């Protein structure tokens, strides 16, 4: 049997599995942030005046904002003047087919197990693959097009569907929302855009694989999903990042709009480079994700978070319409010196609105894992309900789990239930599994996956399998 | 099968097992009786490899190998099974998946391919029928929300699925009504053969009416103080453990 030191050694020597870098020539703007840089980004992207104005307004707001300090995370503040705000892979020419995609990019996809060809043929998943800031491969567009579904990069949407972008951009996450959202609004370079027309059920899972690729390039994605009245879409977002030794900033914004009777299911598996065994390097992930629900509509956020050095992320729902529903299902794993401060906000404005929060935190090594949630039920949101369950599982004695639930109920007819538990992974359970011939690693995988099952079950099938593997990999040899 | 020689074990500095000698040959069924706190579960735990216990002296040979040298899961893969006095619950892990993982880990250890779905299902069907395990329980999480009796039955079901060479049953009879007891005994008896050995730990003689042992030992204060055949169990029941204390 291993002693604690040996275990610690093994844990800390486990290298990041997806640590590799693609060699792609990049067209990069020199580091630094100013009004001029914002103008240059907009110009490079050939954007309309209204968008440049929108960006400049965001920049003006951002300049007067301070980086938030309230989260339970510690990190060296990024030097925003040391970051390059634009980087686009240089495709050799216009991309008409997959053959013309940069072979380096295709190779990267293959190493990640996401062969586009295979995905296309076998899974029926349309993929909008984002390397750094520019989408280079979009598939299934035609098929979706027949249904009137738009699934493309943000840049393309700005060109092809400006009226939709203009109508909804910043309506859920305004420029002034928070420090990182303001920054994103000023400098976002690309992202994904999705529109489902009235009464249409999107026949496949829409999937985007993000990757941060350019050393020293912060990535500022902007994603919008608009589900028109009575429509349905399931959207998958997954990420891995190459290993590097300086912190990378990622400040994405995701806006979801569910119009009357629509439903959006947004699932994320996030596995960005978490930093080395000493906590060096790794991605800083400061994301603003929010959805707005109109009448009788529903938004479900499901996330499996195993990566990033620092995670700051609260996928939220504004339940504006009567009888609308918001859900948040989360598994967050932290190991080594990772820090995660994640949770959700459910803002009940409409009558008879309902929200459910299931959060499963798993901490290992010296990591810190916090749940932060706000349930706010306004005066007018009569007969509303919330159920929250926040569980924490500790793998070692050196890690931390914290829960910060904020609850505000402003009427008499609504009800809020909150349950929270913290437990250490049971020696008894591990012993029981091992006595049946199951190795320690596998036993931990089983127990942890069992613990997170409620959330994993919410993921689309193929994602659930991937997520299970990820949990096992993230926690190998991590009991102490 | 297994040979325990002068085994001493302690927990947090307190000696619990104080020199145990016991040999079990292939095909034999041994019973260990003894009052609460005499060290019965400790012996079972030490055999299974639980880390809370420190072996201060002695040796254990299992199938001609040094048992104390093997990790917990290796002991299990080599064919040692423990039916727990208190089986634990593993939320979210289905009984069937758990068993499949256990069977495949063992097969991998012996260089075999994973069990086929068909073979597995057939075994599940046969063995759950053997211990009259409610069909619904197979797909539920391991022991979660099971009654005491269901948990014990599930452990015997697992034993039947894993086909161990040497099985230890730690007070499997406690908390069972007479019907459940008979079902468990039926399962064990069906598995008895010339190559498989059992160590039945019990506080009462009752179980031994149904699983008739070849030998009976009395454990008292960490030592085997008396050994004999099944008549010894009857005698113990009649005279009570005080009888041992006063001898
Ligand atoms: N993990 C442990 N920590 C402390 N004491 C223990 C532990 N396990 C067993 N003991 C003690 O060892 C003695 C024997 O216990 P046990 O083996 O469970 O007896 P039995 O199964 O015969 O009732 C008891 O006095 C018990 O309190
Ligand atoms: Mg006992």
């Amino acid at each position: 049997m291993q002693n604690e030191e040996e275990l610690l050694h093994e844990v800390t020597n486990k290298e990041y599995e997806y640590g590799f870098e693609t060699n792609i020539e990049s067209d990069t703007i020199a580091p630094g942030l100013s009004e001029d840089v914002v103008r240059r980004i907009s110009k490079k992207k050939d954007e309309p005046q209204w968008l440049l104005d929108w960006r400049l307004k965001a920049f003006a707001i951002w300049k007067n904002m301070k980086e938030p300090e309230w989260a339970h995370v510690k990190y060296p503040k990024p030097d925003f003047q040391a970051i390059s705000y634009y980087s686009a892979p240089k495709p050799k020419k216009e991309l008409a087919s997959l053959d013309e995609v940069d072979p380096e990019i295709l190779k990267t996809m293959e190493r990640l197990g996401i062969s586009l060809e295979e995905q296309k043929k076998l899974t029926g998943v349309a993929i909008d693959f984002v390397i750094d800031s520019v989408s280079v491969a979009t598939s299934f567009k035609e098929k979706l097009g027949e249904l009137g579904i738009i699934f493309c990069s943000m840049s393309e949407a700005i060109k092809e569907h400006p009226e939709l972008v203009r109508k909804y951009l910043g309506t859920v996450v305004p420029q002034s929302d928070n420090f990182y959202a303001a920054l994103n609004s000023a400098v976002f370079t690309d992202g994904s855009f999705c529109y489902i027309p009235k009464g249409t059920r999107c026949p496949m899972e829409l999937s985007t694989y993000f990757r941060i690729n350019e050393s020293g390039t912060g990535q500022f994605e902007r994603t919008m999903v608009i589900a028109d009245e009575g429509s349905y879409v399931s959207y998958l977002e997954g990420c891995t990042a190459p290993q590097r030794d300086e912190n990378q900033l990622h400040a994405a914004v995701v806006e979801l709009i569910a119009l009357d009777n629509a439903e959006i299911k947004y699932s994320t598996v996030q596995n960005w480079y978490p930093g080395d065994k000493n906590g060096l390097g790794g991605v800083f992930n400061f994301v603003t994700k929010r959805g707005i629900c109109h009448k009788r509509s529903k938004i479900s956020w499901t996330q499996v978070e195993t990566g990033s050095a620092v995670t700051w992320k609260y996928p939220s729902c504004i339940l504006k319409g009567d009888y609308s529903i918001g859900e948040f299902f989360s598994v967050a794993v932290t190991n080594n010196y990772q820090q995660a401060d994640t949770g959700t906000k459910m803002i009940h404005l409409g009558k008879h609105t309902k929200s459910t929060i299931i959060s499963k935190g798993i901490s290992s090594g010296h990591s810190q894992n916090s749940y932060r949630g706000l349930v706010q039920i306004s005066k007018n949101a009569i007969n509303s309900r919330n159920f929250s369950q926040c569980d924490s599982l500790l793998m070692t004695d050196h890690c931390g789990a914290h829960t910060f639930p904020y609850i505000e109920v402003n009427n008499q007819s609504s009800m809020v239930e909150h349950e929270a538990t913290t437990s250490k992974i049971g020696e008894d359970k591990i012993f029981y599994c091992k006595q049946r011939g199951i190795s320690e690693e596998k036993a931990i995988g089983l127990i942890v996956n069992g613990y997170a099952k409620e959330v994993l079950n919410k993921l689309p099938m193929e994602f659930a399998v991937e997520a299970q593997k990820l949990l096992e990999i993230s926690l190998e040899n991590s009991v102490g | 099968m297994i040979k325990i020689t002068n085994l001493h074990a302690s927990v947090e500095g307190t000696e619990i097992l104080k020199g145990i000698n016991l040999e079990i040959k292939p095909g034999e069924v041994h019973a260990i009786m003894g009052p609460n706190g005499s060290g019965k579960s400790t012996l079972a735990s030490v055999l299974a490899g639980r880390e809370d216990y420190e072996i201060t002296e002695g040796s254990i040979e299992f199938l001609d190998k040094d048992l104390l040298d093997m990790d917990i899961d290796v002991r299990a893969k080599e064919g040692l099974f423990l039916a727990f006095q208190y089986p634990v619950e593993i939320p979210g892990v289905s009984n069937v998946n758990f068993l499949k993982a256990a069977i495949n880990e063992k097969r991998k250890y012996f260089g075999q391919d994973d069990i086929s779905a068909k073979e597995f299902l057939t075994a599940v069907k046969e063995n759950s029928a053997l211990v009259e395990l409610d069909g619904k329980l197979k797909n539920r999480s391991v022991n979660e929300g099971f009654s005491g009796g269901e948990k014990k039955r599930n452990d015997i079901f697992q034993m039947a699925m894993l086909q161990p060479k040497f099985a230890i049953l730690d007070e499997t009879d406690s908390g069972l009504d007479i019907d459940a007891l008979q079902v468990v005994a039926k399962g064990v008896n069906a598995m008895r053969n010339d190559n498989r050995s059992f160590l039945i730990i019990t506080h009462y003689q009752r179980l031994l009416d149904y699983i008739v042992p070849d030998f009976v030992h009395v454990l008292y204060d960490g030592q085997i103080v008396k050994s004999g055949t099944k008549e010894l169990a009857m005698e113990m029941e009649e005279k009570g453990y005080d009888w041992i204390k006063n001898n």
Side-chain angles (χ1 to χ4, degrees), chain A residues 179-457:
Chain A
F179 182 84
Y180 307 112
L183 179 64
N184 175 289
S185 301
V187 301
F188 75 90
T189 42
D190 215 334
S192 294
F193 179 88
C194 171
Y195 171 81
I196 316 292
K198 270 185 196 166
T200 305
R201 198 182 160 85
C202 184
M204 58 187 91
E205 318 268 358
L206 298 183
S207 159
T208 308
Y209 285 83
F210 293 93
R211 259 168 84 63
I212 300 180
N213 203 262
E214 184 87 350
S215 193
T217 304
Q219 193 167 24
F220 303 93
E221 298 284 347
R222 187 107 197 169
T223 293
M224 286 177 86
V225 178
I226 303 157
D228 212 331
E229 291 172 20
S231 70
Y232 167 84
V233 64
S234 168
Y235 189 94
L236 317 182
E237 173 203 79
C239 356
T240 59
Q243 180 166 350
R244 58 190 70 253
D245 55 15
E246 73 201 83
N247 292 309
Q248 286 183 297
L249 178 65
H250 185 91
V253 171
V254 176
E255 294 180 286
L256 307 185
I257 295 115
L259 296 176
D260 292 358
N261 299 304
E263 180 175 350
I264 301 175
K265 214 171 127 61
Y266 193 103
S267 313
T268 308
V269 171
Q270 187 268 111
N271 183 26
W272 282 339
Y273 181 54
D276 69 10
K277 61 198 166 187
N278 299 315
L280 266 172
V283 172
F284 287 4
N285 193 22
F286 303 115
V287 185
T288 308
K289 286 181 162 174
R290 193 175 303 147
I292 189 159
C293 287
H294 292 268
K295 266 184 215 135
R296 292 183 195 274
S297 71
K298 178 175 171 183
I299 289 179
S300 300
W301 298 99
T302 304
Q303 58 173 25
V304 175
E305 304 272 323
T306 63
S308 298
V310 180
T311 302
W312 181 101
K313 181 176 177 184
Y314 315 91
S316 304
C317 297
I318 301 171
L319 303 172
K320 179 165 173 262
D322 296 347
Y323 297 96
S324 61
I325 298 173
E327 293 177 336
F328 174 74
F329 304 105
S330 169
V331 177
V333 179
T334 51
N335 204 347
N336 295 326
Y337 286 88
Q338 278 177 277
Q339 306 171 70
D341 194 300
T342 181
T344 186
K345 292 181 204 165
M346 293 292 174
I347 314 291
H348 294 251
L349 302 176
K351 301 178 179 65
H352 302 275
T353 46
K354 244 170 63 179
S355 62
T356 304
I357 299 170
I358 310 278
S359 162
K360 303 270 183 178
I362 303 166
S363 350
S364 185
H366 293 263
S367 67
Q368 295 294 328
N369 201 324
S370 306
Y371 166 81
R372 187 181 303 276
L374 168 68
V375 175
Q376 192 175 47
I377 298 184
S378 72
K379 195 158 170 256
N380 293 326
I382 54 164
N383 292 315
S384 294
R385 299 270 178 278
N386 163 268
F387 173 75
S388 304
Q389 186 187 321
C390 306
D391 298 327
S392 308
L393 185 67
L394 305 174
M395 308 294 286
T396 66
D397 294 325
H398 338 286
C399 56
H402 317 273
T403 309
F404 305 98
Y406 304 90
I407 298 167
E408 289 172 30
V409 183
N410 297 305
N411 67 55
Q412 296 283 316
S413 60
S414 294
M415 236 175 64
V416 171
E417 273 179 88
H418 179 87
E419 290 174 9
T421 67
T422 301
S423 51
K424 179 133 198 271
I425 186 159
E427 296 284 341
D428 282 3
K429 291 188 179 81
I430 295 174
F431 180 64
Y432 189 86
C433 293
K434 288 178 83 175
Q435 207 303 303
R436 297 301 183 247
I438 298 170
S439 64
E440 177 145 329
E441 230 163 68
K442 184 99 190 171
I444 292 166
L446 274 174
I447 296 165
V448 167
N449 273 309
Y451 164 79
K453 193 175 181 183
E454 253 178 296
V455 174
L456 297 176
N457 276 350

Side-chain angles (χ1 to χ4, degrees), chain B residues 11-12 14 16-17 34-43 50 52-53 85 170-171 201 219:
Chain B
V11 59
E12 287 158 9
T14 310
I16 314 265
L17 302 182
N36 282 329
S38 58
K40 301 185 298 295
S41 291
T42 301
L43 176 62
R50 199 170 190 122
D52 305 344
Y53 303 91
Q85 182 170 4
D170 189 2
E171 297 208 26
I201 294 171
L219 188 66

